[in-house]
Amino acid sequence: MEISQSVEDYLEAIYLAEADKGHVRVKDIALKLDIKLSSVTGMFKKLEEEGFIKSEKYGPVELTQKGKVIARGVYSKHKLLNKFFLLLGVDKKIALEDACRAEHVLSKKTLDKIRKFVNEKGN
C-alpha cells in the first residue's frame, strides 16, 4: 500500500504528540505542522476512514494499531537519517529538515546501508 508523504507526516506528528502529551487534539497537530485547523480536521477524517486513527468530534484523537505501525516506521527513519546527517557534519537544523524530507523517499536498501554506516560510525 502506498501512503502519501502528507499522511506519513500526520501520523508521525500524532505519534510524537501522543508520546509527549498523552492525548492529541486538532490544534496540537495544526501547531506542530504549521497548518490551518480546517486542514487538520479534513485530514483526520481521511485518516479515520483509512483506519489509521480513532477520534470523536471535539475530542482527542488516537492512533490505531495500523496507524502506530506506520508512525513508528516513519519516526524510526527520521531519527536514523537525522543521526546520519549529523555524523556527516551537517548543521543540526538542516539535518533535521533534510531527514524530514528524505524519510519519505529513500528505498529500504538505501536505508539499510545508512543504518549499517550509522551503527559502525556512530558509536
PDB file of all heavy atoms in Angstrom, residues 7 58 93:
ATOM      1  N   VAL A   7       0.262  11.969   4.657  1.00  0.00           N
ATOM      2  CA  VAL A   7      -0.293  11.032   5.644  1.00  0.00           C
ATOM      3  C   VAL A   7       0.797  10.608   6.621  1.00  0.00           C
ATOM      4  O   VAL A   7       0.581  10.587   7.838  1.00  0.00           O
ATOM      5  CB  VAL A   7      -0.938   9.810   4.953  1.00  0.00           C
ATOM      6  CG1 VAL A   7      -1.238   8.701   5.946  1.00  0.00           C
ATOM      7  CG2 VAL A   7      -2.217  10.231   4.220  1.00  0.00           C
ATOM      8  N   TYR A  58     -14.703  16.899  18.576  1.00  0.00           N
ATOM      9  CA  TYR A  58     -14.235  17.769  19.654  1.00  0.00           C
ATOM     10  C   TYR A  58     -13.453  17.026  20.737  1.00  0.00           C
ATOM     11  O   TYR A  58     -13.146  17.580  21.775  1.00  0.00           O
ATOM     12  CB  TYR A  58     -15.395  18.553  20.292  1.00  0.00           C
ATOM     13  CG  TYR A  58     -16.195  19.340  19.284  1.00  0.00           C
ATOM     14  CD1 TYR A  58     -17.514  19.014  19.015  1.00  0.00           C
ATOM     15  CD2 TYR A  58     -15.616  20.381  18.576  1.00  0.00           C
ATOM     16  CE1 TYR A  58     -18.252  19.718  18.080  1.00  0.00           C
ATOM     17  CE2 TYR A  58     -16.344  21.090  17.637  1.00  0.00           C
ATOM     18  CZ  TYR A  58     -17.660  20.758  17.390  1.00  0.00           C
ATOM     19  OH  TYR A  58     -18.385  21.455  16.461  1.00  0.00           O
ATOM     20  N   LYS A  93      20.013  22.060  12.377  1.00  0.00           N
ATOM     21  CA  LYS A  93      18.727  22.492  11.808  1.00  0.00           C
ATOM     22  C   LYS A  93      18.528  21.909  10.405  1.00  0.00           C
ATOM     23  O   LYS A  93      17.454  21.402  10.072  1.00  0.00           O
ATOM     24  CB  LYS A  93      18.654  24.017  11.770  1.00  0.00           C
ATOM     25  CG  LYS A  93      17.321  24.558  11.302  1.00  0.00           C
ATOM     26  CD  LYS A  93      17.269  26.070  11.413  1.00  0.00           C
ATOM     27  CE  LYS A  93      15.907  26.595  11.115  1.00  0.00           C
ATOM     28  NZ  LYS A  93      15.706  27.067   9.785  1.00  0.00           N
TER      29      LYS A  93
END
